[in-house]
Structures are given as C-alpha cells and as structure tokens.
Amino acid sequence: MTYRVMGVDPGLTRCGLAVVDIEPNRRSTLVAVGVVGTEAGRSLDERLLVISEAVDTWLDLHEPQVLAVERVFSQLNVSTVMGTAQASGVVIVSAARRGIPVALHTPTEVKAAVTGNGQADKAAVTKMVTKILRLDTAPRPADAADALALAITHAWRRGVGLQGAAASAVSGGTVTSAQRVWAEAEARARRR
C-alpha cells in the first residue's frame, strides 16, 4: 500500500507543490510537481488567494494522506519571512478544511533526510531528489525540487521504509537490528 504525501515549499513569489507516492520499501514515485507563482506587484490578498486556490485544486485532485510543509525559520529579511509565513498559513488552512494532517519540517531536516547532509546546497538536494524518484531530468525550479524533498522526507521520517524493513525481516530479507527494533516499536504504537 502506498503512502501519498503532498510537499509544499511555501513562498509568495514561488510556491513549490509536489505529490509523491511512497511504497513500504521506500520506493518513491513522482505523481505531480509544479510551482504556483505570483507577481510582487499584486496585493497581498490577491497573491494569497492565488496560492490558496492552487493548493485547493492540488489537494482535491491528488487526495494526499498528509501535507508536508517547510517550517518557516528566522532570516535576516523580515519581509521574506512574513511572506513565507503567510503563504504557509494559507496552505495549512487548506489542508485543515479537508481534515488532512499537516507536518512541518525544517530545511536542515529535509536536506539531511534526502542527502545525508543537513548543510547541503540546493543543487545537491535537486540531484538526490532526481535520483530517488528515478527522473530523467531534474525538477525545476529549485522550489519544485524542495517540495519533492519535503514529501520524501516526511514519508521516510514517518517510518514508511521501516514498515518495509519489518516485512523484509519476516520474509528473510536483511535488515539491521536497529531497523527491526524501530519497526517493531512503530507496529506496537499503531496497535494502541
């Protein structure tokens, strides 16, 4: 059974949107990816409405089980942080209206999950997302790749691959003892 995650890299100028299906063995497949953009000259309410309508359309069309959004973090440019936070709020409300759970992940968390290095640059994230999803061409712009990385990160951190590890262990596959312990703990938690 696949786990469908929608990733959102929020922003007023470019808001990355991506949907990924993740199998129990962690195999990740691209469903859709894109960017909704708004012009800086438009009013804030118009810009947020464009983002909201795009996210609504994606949520209704792709029906993800969860929405993974990049956590807003402090930057030196307060106006950029405010715009990102406002776009995030619109996205989160769209999911909440549908009863879709929302998970927030920091940029460092996403980079570490996808590349193994929390300080990786955008090129490294894009390269690994392209490899993980078995894509012929890299997703562009970087906001699209970041949205894909968010979706993948959420599924992997949730333990989707560990369910596959538990199944592999039962069928005689090779898993580490740490993977086995984690999978068993997760299974116990689900039963409660």
Side-chain angles (χ1 to χ4, degrees), residues 124-142:
V125 171
T126 299
K127 181 178 178 180
M128 285 307 298
V129 164
T130 303
K131 183 176 180 175
I132 290 165
L133 295 171
R134 303 167 318 283
L135 303 175
D136 293 330
T137 58
R140 299 272 184 242

Side-chain angles (χ1 to χ4, degrees), residues 33 54 63 87-88:
V33 65
E63 300 179 339
S88 293

Side-chain angles (χ1 to χ4, degrees), residues 2-186:
T2 61
Y3 183 60
R4 179 163 286 187
V5 183
M6 181 169 162
V8 179
D9 181 29
L12 282 177
T13 304
R14 285 181 315 277
C15 184
L17 306 172
V19 178
V20 176
D21 283 344
I22 317 276
E23 297 174 31
N25 64 1
R26 290 179 65 154
R27 181 178 169 96
S28 306
T29 304
L30 172 68
V31 175
V33 65
V35 174
V36 59
T38 64
E39 298 170 12
R42 294 177 78 176
S43 67
L44 177 62
D45 57 329
E46 290 176 322
R47 295 177 84 182
L48 291 174
L49 180 61
V50 168
I51 293 166
S52 176
E53 289 174 344
V55 170
D56 285 343
T57 298
W58 277 63
L59 291 172
D60 292 342
L61 178 64
H62 299 294
E63 300 179 339
Q65 292 165 268
V66 67
L67 185 73
V69 181
E70 183 174 278
R71 182 183 300 272
V72 178
F73 63 98
S74 178
Q75 296 175 336
L76 297 176
N77 186 341
V78 175
S79 64
T80 300
V81 170
M82 288 300 297
T84 302
Q86 290 161 332
S88 293
V90 167
V91 169
I92 292 167
V93 168
S94 289
R97 280 194 189 110
R98 291 161 177 78
I100 298 171
V102 176
L104 301 173
H105 298 282
T106 66
T108 302
E109 201 179 341
V110 172
K111 292 172 186 178
V114 173
T115 70
N117 175 2
Q119 302 305 313
D121 62 13
K122 288 192 177 287
V125 171
T126 299
K127 181 178 178 180
M128 285 307 298
V129 164
T130 303
K131 183 176 180 175
I132 290 165
L133 295 171
R134 303 167 318 283
L135 303 175
D136 293 330
T137 58
R140 299 272 184 242
D143 310 273
D146 288 348
L148 287 165
L150 276 154
I152 293 165
T153 296
H154 179 73
W156 287 3
R157 289 202 136 208
R158 179 181 174 270
V160 169
L162 296 173
Q163 295 163 4
S168 180
V170 170
S171 64
T174 304
V175 295
T176 67
S177 59
Q179 288 174 315
R180 188 175 301 105
V181 169
W182 182 273
E184 291 166 358
E186 188 174 57

